[in-house]
């Protein structure tokens, strides 16, 4: 009798293994947006060695699952349009995804300012009331942590943009989508994958971090001894463990085809700003490698002004983090939205997300859509010391410099001599240059602009209304130098 029971159990287990369920990850669902104009990866699981057929817009794509049941194929490129139906089938089962649009898919990454809900922003309630946009689709990934690759995210869903679905959604993502959807006349899909208070290394793969000397040992230890259950209260700050969010939330969605990525993060890395010079571009290169679709556009928000303004020029970890962000522009197909004029002294979460999204959209139109427009405020080009004056020149002038001051005074500049002691200086506009009066500063050698946690009086823009990027001309060691 026991032998018969054992045989029944064995046959049941065998039947379960042989008849695996045809399954795709949650990023494939009704109402999704697929990326137009490029090959589209589709992947999932089925019976081992089972043939899988994907049908879309009259085209069929076939692939055989491997011995473990995993399969992946790439559909061809399609133009914008929809709604369509995507069907996936084997000789045993079949299912379809309805209301699929061909458009542009943007990844929304970072920490709390990217996560910040529309309902909690300036004029958020009014925006929510009119948020019926059927060609904007929202994909939200639930919070999850892991140190090893997962087959799928723990929780996620696609939804059509309505007042009900968007009120708790990323305000920056929503406003960005509205602008791009209207101006480019294309459906927009938003992959909302972010978590407040997190560091960039949590969103980076073990493979990438293992190549950096500051993280290689930690990664080796985590891979060998890290917790399997991050809900354990003994695990401190689990969402900031290196790689924990990459594997728990992001990696299962890769390589879903995207147009590009938007990123708003850095506050939690500000105390290690010099290190961020390396690990932020490392993360970008890592994402591009893992996605396997080349140097896709990557656009971020530079940190806003925050904390109480200081009476005298001082060193600043937030200024050093902004500098690290600007240095990352050396990577191809990147841009940043400068919001040094939109922060709030007493709140790390500025409520004006509309302006942030508008500036991101300008950058996207340039980097991702190839439009000929002004997308950046003035950036430092050169300086010339002329006795007791310094003449500063800029790139990204647009239609010309604009000083946002009734009397034309330029604010936010500090100058230092060889003693490295900075002092505020007066400045004025001279055409497309700024002239600084150095006064009693003996032998001036260095200029800084907007170099503070909260340079609340900066007032230099181009005529298009985009603020000048904070900068310094010196390379003296900052307060975060060597911090790990």
């Amino acid at each position: 009798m026991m032998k018969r029971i054992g045989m029944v159990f064995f046959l049941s287990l065998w039947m379960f293994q042989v008849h695996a369920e045809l399954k795709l990850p949650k990023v494939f669902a009704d109402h999704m947006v697929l990326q137009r104009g490029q090959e589209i990866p589709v992947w999932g699981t089925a019976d081992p060695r089972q043939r899988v057929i994907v049908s879309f817009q009259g085209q069929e794509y076939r692939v055989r699952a491997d011995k473990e049941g995993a399969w992946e194929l790439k559909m061809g490129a399609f133009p914008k349009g929809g709604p369509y139906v995507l069907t996936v089938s084997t000789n045993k089962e079949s299912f379809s995804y309805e209301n699929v649009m061909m458009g542009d898919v943007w990844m929304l990454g970072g920490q709390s300012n990217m996560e910040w809900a529309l309902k909690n922003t300036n004029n958020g309630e009014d925006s929510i009331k009119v948020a019926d946009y059927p060609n904007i689709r929202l994909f939200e990934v639930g919070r999850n942590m892991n140190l090893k690759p997962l087959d799928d995210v723990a929780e996620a869903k696609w939804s059509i943009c309505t007042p009900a679905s968007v009120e708790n959604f990323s305000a920056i993502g929503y406003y960005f989508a509205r602008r791009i959807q209207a101006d480019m006349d294309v459906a927009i899909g938003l992959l909302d994958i972010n978590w407040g208070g997190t560091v960039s290394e949590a969103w980076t793969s073990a493979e990438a971090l293992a190549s950096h000397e500051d993280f290689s040992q930690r990664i080796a230890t985590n891979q060998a001894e890290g917790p399997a259950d991050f809900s354990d209260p003994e695990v401190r700050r689990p969402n900031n463990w290196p790689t924990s969010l990459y594997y728990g939330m992001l990696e299962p969605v890769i390589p879903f085809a995207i147009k590009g990525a938007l990123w708003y993060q850095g506050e939690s890395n500000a105390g290690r700003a010099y290190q961020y010079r390396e690990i932020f571009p490392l993360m970008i290169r890592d994402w591009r490698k893992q996605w396997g679709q080349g140097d896709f556009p990557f656009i971020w928000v530079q940190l806003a002004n925050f904390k109480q303004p200081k009476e005298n020029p001082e060193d600043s970890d937030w200024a050093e983090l902004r500098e690290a962000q600007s240095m990352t522009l050396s990577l191809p197909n990147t841009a940043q939205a400068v919001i040094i004029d939109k922060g709030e002294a007493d709140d790390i979460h500025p409520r004006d997300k509309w302006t942030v999204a508008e500036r991101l959209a300008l950058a996207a139109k340039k980097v991702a859509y190839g439009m000929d427009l002004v997308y950046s405020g003035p950036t430092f080009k050169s300086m010339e010391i002329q006795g007791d004056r310094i003449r500063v020149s800029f790139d990204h002038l647009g239609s010309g410099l604009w000083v946002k001051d009734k009397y034309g005074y330029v604010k936010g500049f500090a100058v230092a001599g060889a003693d490295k002691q900075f002092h505020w200086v007066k400045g004025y506009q001279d055409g497309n240059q700024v002239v600084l009066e150095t006064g009693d500063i003996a032998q001036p050698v260095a200029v800084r602009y907007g170099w503070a946690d909260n340079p609340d009086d900066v007032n230099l823009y181009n005529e298009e209304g985009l603020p000048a990027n904070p900068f310094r001309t010196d390379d003296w060691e900052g307060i975060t130098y060597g911090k790990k």
Side-chain angles (χ1 to χ4, degrees), residues 456-483:
D456 68 325
D457 62 343
V458 289
N459 64 347
L460 187 62
Y461 294 76
N462 57 24
E463 291 283 358
E464 283 71 17
L466 298 174
N469 188 20
F471 69 89
R472 61 170 174 162
T473 64
D474 64 274
D475 60 358
W476 300 329
E477 286 185 4
I479 57 175
T480 67
Y481 179 81
K483 292 187 177 181

Side-chain angles (χ1 to χ4, degrees), residues 75-246:
M75 300 195 303
F78 295 91
K80 68 179 182 180
Y84 302 111
V85 176
L86 177 75
T87 300
V88 185
S89 61
T90 67
N91 60 0
K92 299 177 181 178
E93 54 189 317
S94 177
F95 55 83
S96 297
Y97 300 117
E98 307 282 341
N99 194 18
V100 177
M101 300 297 294
M102 294 301 306
D104 289 339
V105 180
W106 284 90
M107 158 75 191
L108 309 177
Q111 54 183 114
S112 56
N113 272 303
M114 180 61 84
E115 186 181 41
W116 202 254
L118 180 60
K119 69 180 182 181
N120 295 326
T121 63
N122 293 347
N123 304 312
E125 292 185 3
D126 292 336
S127 296
I128 291 168
K129 291 176 183 177
V130 297
D132 280 306
Y133 292 97
N135 283 334
I136 295 176
R137 311 294 176 84
L138 316 174
F139 180 72
E140 301 176 76
V141 172
R143 293 178 171 183
N144 191 47
M145 296 157 288
N146 211 285
L147 296 180
K148 300 290 177 64
L150 300 174
D151 291 333
D152 200 0
V153 292
E155 180 183 354
K157 64 177 182 179
W158 276 101
S159 58
I160 298 172
C161 180
T162 66
S165 66
V166 83
E167 65 174 342
N168 290 306
F169 194 80
S170 165
I172 288 175
Y174 168 70
Y175 285 130
F176 175 87
R178 276 191 56 184
R179 173 59 63 196
I180 296 298
Q181 196 274 325
D183 291 357
M184 307 307 297
D185 188 27
V186 64
I188 298 294
L190 299 174
L191 307 182
D192 192 36
I193 309 176
N194 42 67
W195 192 336
T198 55
V199 292
S200 68
E201 56 267 29
W203 298 100
T204 308
S205 76
E207 175 188 356
L209 287 178
S211 69
H212 194 284
E213 62 180 356
D214 291 353
F215 293 94
S216 57
Q217 185 56 54
R218 173 74 184 272
I219 294 303
T221 301
N222 287 356
Q223 294 290 300
E225 306 171 10
D229 182 8
F230 275 96
S231 64
D232 185 339
E234 297 297 319
V235 181
R236 296 182 64 251
R237 300 185 69 196
N239 64 346
N240 273 328
W241 279 52
T243 77
S244 63
L245 303 184
Y246 174 82

Side-chain angles (χ1 to χ4, degrees), residues 140-442:
E140 301 176 76
V141 172
R143 293 178 171 183
N144 191 47
M145 296 157 288
N146 211 285
L147 296 180
K148 300 290 177 64
L150 300 174
D151 291 333
D152 200 0
V153 292
E155 180 183 354
K157 64 177 182 179
W158 276 101
S159 58
I160 298 172
C161 180
T162 66
S165 66
V166 83
E167 65 174 342
N168 290 306
F169 194 80
S170 165
I172 288 175
Y174 168 70
Y175 285 130
F176 175 87
R178 276 191 56 184
R179 173 59 63 196
I180 296 298
Q181 196 274 325
D183 291 357
M184 307 307 297
D185 188 27
V186 64
I188 298 294
L190 299 174
L191 307 182
D192 192 36
I193 309 176
N194 42 67
W195 192 336
T198 55
V199 292
S200 68
E201 56 267 29
W203 298 100
T204 308
S205 76
E207 175 188 356
L209 287 178
S211 69
H212 194 284
E213 62 180 356
D214 291 353
F215 293 94
S216 57
Q217 185 56 54
R218 173 74 184 272
I219 294 303
T221 301
N222 287 356
Q223 294 290 300
E225 306 171 10
D229 182 8
F230 275 96
S231 64
D232 185 339
E234 297 297 319
V235 181
R236 296 182 64 251
R237 300 185 69 196
N239 64 346
N240 273 328
W241 279 52
T243 77
S244 63
L245 303 184
Y246 174 82
Y247 291 114
M249 297 174 66
L250 179 62
E251 192 265 350
V253 176
I254 300 172
F256 193 81
I258 61 174
K259 181 69 173 180
L262 306 180
W263 179 257
Y264 192 159
Q265 189 274 339
E267 297 93 337
S268 292
N269 284 92
R272 297 177 281 123
Y274 272 74
Q275 184 191 67
Y276 202 72
R277 295 180 178 187
E278 299 175 352
I279 63 172
F280 181 38
L282 177 68
M283 187 200 79
I284 296 172
R285 290 193 297 267
D286 181 38
W287 285 20
R288 287 171 167 175
K289 178 181 179 181
Q290 303 299 339
W291 244 284
Q293 61 171 70
D295 292 337
F296 59 77
F298 196 103
I299 306 166
W300 59 87
V301 182
Q302 192 187 66
L303 292 189
N305 48 313
F306 174 55
K307 305 177 189 177
Q308 291 303 314
K310 300 296 178 63
E311 182 177 351
N312 297 306
E314 295 183 9
D315 285 324
S316 162
D317 55 359
W318 275 52
E320 291 174 19
L321 196 286
R322 294 187 196 105
E323 179 182 52
Q325 292 175 311
S326 294
M327 293 171 72
T328 305
L329 292 170
S330 62
L331 293 183
N333 293 331
T334 57
Q336 71 176 351
V338 175
I339 58 166
I340 198 66
D341 57 338
K342 292 299 176 181
E344 300 178 22
D346 298 320
D347 197 336
I348 201 171
H349 304 115
R351 295 303 198 267
D352 179 3
K353 300 304 188 194
W354 181 85
T355 299
V356 180
E358 286 288 294
R359 292 176 183 174
L360 283 171
L362 280 176
K365 289 177 187 179
K366 176 66 175 183
V367 175
Y369 297 100
M371 297 178 65
D372 184 14
L373 48 71
V374 178
Y375 69 100
S376 169
T379 59
F380 173 75
K381 179 180 181 180
S382 63
M383 73 169 185
E384 181 182 357
I385 300 174
Q386 302 172 333
D388 62 354
R389 295 181 179 182
I390 298 177
R391 187 172 293 272
V392 184
S393 300
F394 300 88
D395 287 321
H396 294 286
L397 292 167
S399 302
L401 281 185
W402 172 47
V403 178
K404 195 174 181 180
D405 183 86
K406 181 178 180 180
Y407 301 104
Y409 296 123
V410 181
K411 301 174 182 177
F413 279 91
V415 173
D419 62 359
K420 300 183 181 180
Q421 300 301 307
F422 280 89
H423 307 272
W424 301 123
V425 296
K426 296 180 180 179
Y428 60 88
Q429 179 182 355
D430 184 14
N432 282 328
Q433 296 179 318
V434 168
V435 177
L436 306 175
E437 298 178 347
T438 58
D440 297 331
I441 301 172

